[in-house]
Amino acid sequence: MATLKIWLLLLFVATIDAALGHENYVPIITNQIHLLRPQSGSGGSYVEGLSCLSWRLAVETNNLISWTQIPTSCVDYVGHYMLGSQYRQDSELVIEQALAHAKALNISTEGTDIWVFDIDETALSNLPYYADTGFGSEPYNATKFNEWVETKAAPALPATLELYEELLNLGIKVVFITGRPESQRNVTASNLKAVGYTTWEKLVLKGSDYSGKTAVVYKSAQRKILENDGYRIVGNIGDQWSDLLGTNIGLRTFKLPDPMYYIG
Ligand SMILES: *[C@@H]1O[C@H](CO)[C@@H](O)[C@H](O)[C@H]1NC(C)=O
Ligand SMILES: *[C@@H]1O[C@H](CO)[C@@H](O)[C@H](O)[C@H]1NC(C)=O
Ligand SMILES: *[C@@H]1O[C@H](CO)[C@@H](O)[C@H](O)[C@H]1NC(C)=O
């Protein structure tokens, strides 16, 4: 009887093994961010009681506002999303649409048509920093983040760099408007140039006169100044709704994904 049980068990194991196809068998890695082999395309590990996909959708659609940290139970989910292919694919689709919009425009020959770019998680990616600090699950530490900014090591978001290059070819000028403070002008300019954003019409950083003001107020005011100076904002791209809401938003806005933090 015991022998039969063992035999049946062996048969069962062999069947499973054959069904899986030995060379295709990928061990399930739990609680680990795996850079090269995300566990699923949409970056999903299942979390009991909370759909992290619903949470991310609510974030991206601006239904969830003023949140300070991602839910602890969604750290793996957000990590897989950001490091896996889905984040890149989502970004590329945004850029495809932005490019289609740009190509359909009647660009002024006066050189007054501009496209507004945000910097963090738009032109540049702070993913190396966030991968190291829990993908937005740890409380924001300004000292630590500024140390990272000072390293000038932020890579370009590949899709955004592609848009940037195409816009310049189309005769559209680029203006960066960032929430980074004026004190980070030089490191920001160096970082941008080092990764391929070699030229721009203006690089606008947050001056002390806007301290305590929201991003919506500050960015709207800067866009208004640009329009008063005779520029036409033909497109506007950012990862935060506060890059795109408010006044003087331009002909069309484009929202890149960012489930790691919220700036109002
Ligand atoms: C494009 O703009 C120019 C002047 O800026 C104008 O003369 C021309 O008619 C416009 N073309 C279209 C297709 O709107
Ligand atoms: C913030 O980061 C700095 C620099 O890395 C570190 O010295 C400090 O302890 C951190 N603060 C908190 C509250 O974690
Ligand atoms: C930026 O660099 C310029 C020289 O290129 C220098 O005069 C200025 O003080 C620097 N600003 C900051 C904030 O470091």
Side-chain angles (χ1 to χ4, degrees), residues 130-189:
Y130 281 100
D132 215 30
T133 54
F135 298 101
S137 62
E138 293 177 12
Y140 178 65
N141 181 334
T143 313
K144 195 166 180 162
F145 184 72
N146 289 335
E147 283 170 3
W148 155 254
V149 168
E150 296 287 331
T151 65
K152 302 177 268 185
L157 211 94
T160 308
L161 184 57
E162 201 182 303
L163 173 67
Y164 166 87
E165 285 164 354
E166 296 269 0
L167 293 178
L168 293 181
N169 288 338
L170 290 170
I172 299 170
K173 291 180 170 166
V174 166
V175 171
F176 292 106
I177 303 181
T178 175
R180 288 186 178 194
E182 195 57 54
S183 58
Q184 290 175 342
R185 177 173 291 278
N186 291 356
V187 287
T188 301

Side-chain angles (χ1 to χ4, degrees), residues 108-240:
S108 153
T109 49
E110 320 263 297
T112 48
D113 284 340
I114 57 169
W115 195 290
V116 173
F117 283 73
D118 165 57
I119 293 185
D120 292 302
E121 268 52 68
T122 299
L124 298 177
S125 169
N126 298 303
L127 198 44
Y129 172 85
Y130 281 100
D132 215 30
T133 54
F135 298 101
S137 62
E138 293 177 12
Y140 178 65
N141 181 334
T143 313
K144 195 166 180 162
F145 184 72
N146 289 335
E147 283 170 3
W148 155 254
V149 168
E150 296 287 331
T151 65
K152 302 177 268 185
L157 211 94
T160 308
L161 184 57
E162 201 182 303
L163 173 67
Y164 166 87
E165 285 164 354
E166 296 269 0
L167 293 178
L168 293 181
N169 288 338
L170 290 170
I172 299 170
K173 291 180 170 166
V174 166
V175 171
F176 292 106
I177 303 181
T178 175
R180 288 186 178 194
E182 195 57 54
S183 58
Q184 290 175 342
R185 177 173 291 278
N186 291 356
V187 287
T188 301
S190 307
N191 198 155
L192 285 170
K193 285 185 177 160
V195 298
Y197 300 98
T198 49
T199 182
W200 49 78
E201 184 73 355
K202 281 183 174 19
L203 168 59
V204 181
L205 295 105
K206 197 171 179 181
S208 53
D209 38 340
Y210 286 101
S211 70
K213 299 250 165 63
T214 64
V216 172
V217 168
Y218 154 66
K219 293 198 169 189
S220 294
Q222 294 306 314
R223 291 191 301 262
K224 191 175 169 120
I225 291 170
L226 290 166
E227 290 192 342
N228 288 346
D229 287 347
Y231 291 107
R232 177 173 75 140
I233 301 171
V234 297
N236 180 6
I237 188 163
D239 64 297
Q240 298 289 323

